[in-house]
Amino acid sequence: MVRIAAFQYLDKLQQVHGDVLPWSALVSGFVFQGHSIPLIGAAGIWKPQVLDIPISITTSPSNPYGDSTGDDGLLSYRYQGSPARSYDNDGLRRAMHEARPLIYFRGFDRGQYGALWPAVIVADDPATSTFTVACEDVQLLRPDLGVTVVDEVRRRYVTRLAVDRLHQAAFRQRVLKAYRQSCSVCNLRHVQLLDAAHILPDSHEQGNPVVPNGLSLCKIHHAAFDANILGVRPDYVIEIRGDVLAEVDGPMLEHGLQAHHGGKLLVPRAAAEHPDRERLELRWQEFRRAS
Ligand SMILES: [Zn+2]
């Protein structure tokens, strides 16, 4: 039952913090029958005292896109620690044999983690020192805490969706940090109203979730950018589409959109994090075609 309680605790944390969870809340954990249960610890493979099988595995923030997904869409997790701590890896082997669900944490940045659960270890390959991790549908958990046998296709699909969500959360975290939590058009600083917009979409071959393919935009400017009402030239000048510029309406249109025509995009300090001009050029051509 501890695991189910842990998943419920994560649900609550996600309602408060969204997809980026603070280390402090994970390390303090929750109280279960009088015992404090931290969900994350100093070691990558974490087992709280009251359990005999680990409850979570964690990847380092220094490798935020790390622990690659294979062609099968499943995650790889490297064996942890020194030979002296081989009990950590043995713990994961037990989790695999006894089908115990775990939490997979991915470090996005110092003190900030994404999480997938329930995760299960589905393979152990000593030749490459890696475990294979899949994500399960939470509804499939049986009351006895085992995980029902599901067909491979479904498991891969669920894992792919979960990992994609994790990548998007990492992208948002990095883009917003680069732009110091403000809209690059209007400078709005309300994090809950900010998105990380893709310059080129996921489906484009250059549409990968890296900061130079991102813009920090408030909800209204994100929607306007996606709808080709607002365009960004490769020299970072903002343009509002002609027909919208000519409209007469209330203050939202006037101050929210029209006033930004001809303005300059606010970009991060570090040149390496600036929006990529080549990608902007491609996106700008699409805006022009819509004009
Ligand atoms: Zn804005």
Side-chain angles (χ1 to χ4, degrees):
M1 289 314 284
V2 178
R3 288 168 201 271
I4 297 290
F7 299 152
Q8 288 167 346
Y9 176 68
L10 283 172
D11 282 333
K12 276 191 210 147
L13 284 184
Q14 210 163 40
Q15 280 165 21
V16 176
H17 300 283
D19 284 339
V20 182
L21 306 175
W23 162 273
S24 54
L26 300 173
V27 82
S28 56
F30 64 104
V31 175
F32 183 80
Q33 293 175 352
H35 298 282
S36 164
I37 316 281
L39 293 184
I40 200 166
I45 298 170
W46 173 245
K47 185 186 80 59
Q49 262 181 359
V50 299
L51 294 179
D52 54 1
I53 290 181
I55 196 167
S56 72
I57 54 180
T58 302
T59 70
S60 158
S62 59
N63 188 14
Y65 299 109
D67 278 0
S68 55
T69 32
D71 293 339
D72 55 7
L74 302 181
L75 292 154
S76 305
Y77 191 77
R78 303 275 301 171
Y79 288 1
Q80 297 292 298
S82 57
R85 282 187 67 97
S86 63
Y87 54 84
D88 283 337
N89 299 317
D90 289 341
L92 280 194
R93 283 179 198 111
R94 274 192 69 189
M96 176 174 77
H97 294 309
E98 297 180 26
R100 299 301 174 98
L102 307 163
I103 306 156
Y104 175 90
F105 287 115
R106 181 169 291 181
F108 289 159
D109 200 354
R110 236 184 117 114
Q112 299 189 304
Y113 289 79
L116 300 184
W117 74 90
V120 285
I121 307 293
V122 294
D124 170 21
D125 182 11
T128 56
S129 303
T130 48
F131 293 104
T132 302
V133 186
C135 202
E136 292 290 25
D137 214 325
V138 76
Q139 282 87 4
L140 294 174
L141 287 184
R142 290 193 316 227
D144 63 358
L145 303 190
V147 175
T148 53
V149 177
V150 289
D151 80 286
E152 273 310 299
V153 176
R154 183 182 169 83
R155 178 176 270 160
R156 286 176 193 180
Y157 176 72
V158 170
T159 305
R160 225 179 267 277
L161 286 185
V163 170
D164 186 56
R165 181 169 169 173
L166 206 59
H167 283 174
Q168 295 308 330
F171 176 62
R172 180 177 189 275
Q173 195 278 330
R174 311 207 124 208
V175 170
L176 265 54
K177 185 183 178 195
Y179 286 80
R180 290 185 291 165
Q181 276 81 33
S182 64
C183 174
S184 56
V185 171
C186 67
N187 208 24
L188 184 76
R189 291 175 175 280
H190 211 294
V191 174
Q192 283 158 309
L193 297 179
L194 296 177
D195 290 332
H198 283 74
I199 295 174
L200 294 175
D202 262 339
S203 52
H204 194 282
E205 62 175 60
Q206 287 171 265
N208 35 346
V210 293
V211 174
N213 187 39
L215 290 176
S216 171
L217 292 173
C218 69
K219 299 283 180 189
I220 188 94
H221 290 134
H222 186 186
F225 183 70
D226 284 352
N228 289 320
I229 288 171
L230 180 153
V232 179
R233 293 195 331 223
D235 62 356
Y236 301 157
V237 171
I238 298 157
E239 289 200 9
I240 301 296
R241 202 174 67 209
D243 59 322
V244 178
L245 207 53
E247 269 175 46
V248 179
D249 194 30
M252 190 64 210
L253 178 77
E254 190 187 331
H255 300 291
L257 292 172
Q258 292 168 338
H260 294 291
H261 183 70
K264 192 103 186 202
L265 200 69
L266 303 159
V267 297
R269 281 187 185 159
E273 295 184 323
H274 285 185
D276 175 30
R277 290 173 195 270
E278 238 176 81
R279 288 181 172 102
L280 277 177
E281 175 64 41
L282 292 171
R283 187 65 185 76
W284 173 248
Q285 286 165 13
E286 191 191 316
F287 174 79
R288 288 299 299 274
R289 280 195 295 275
S291 300

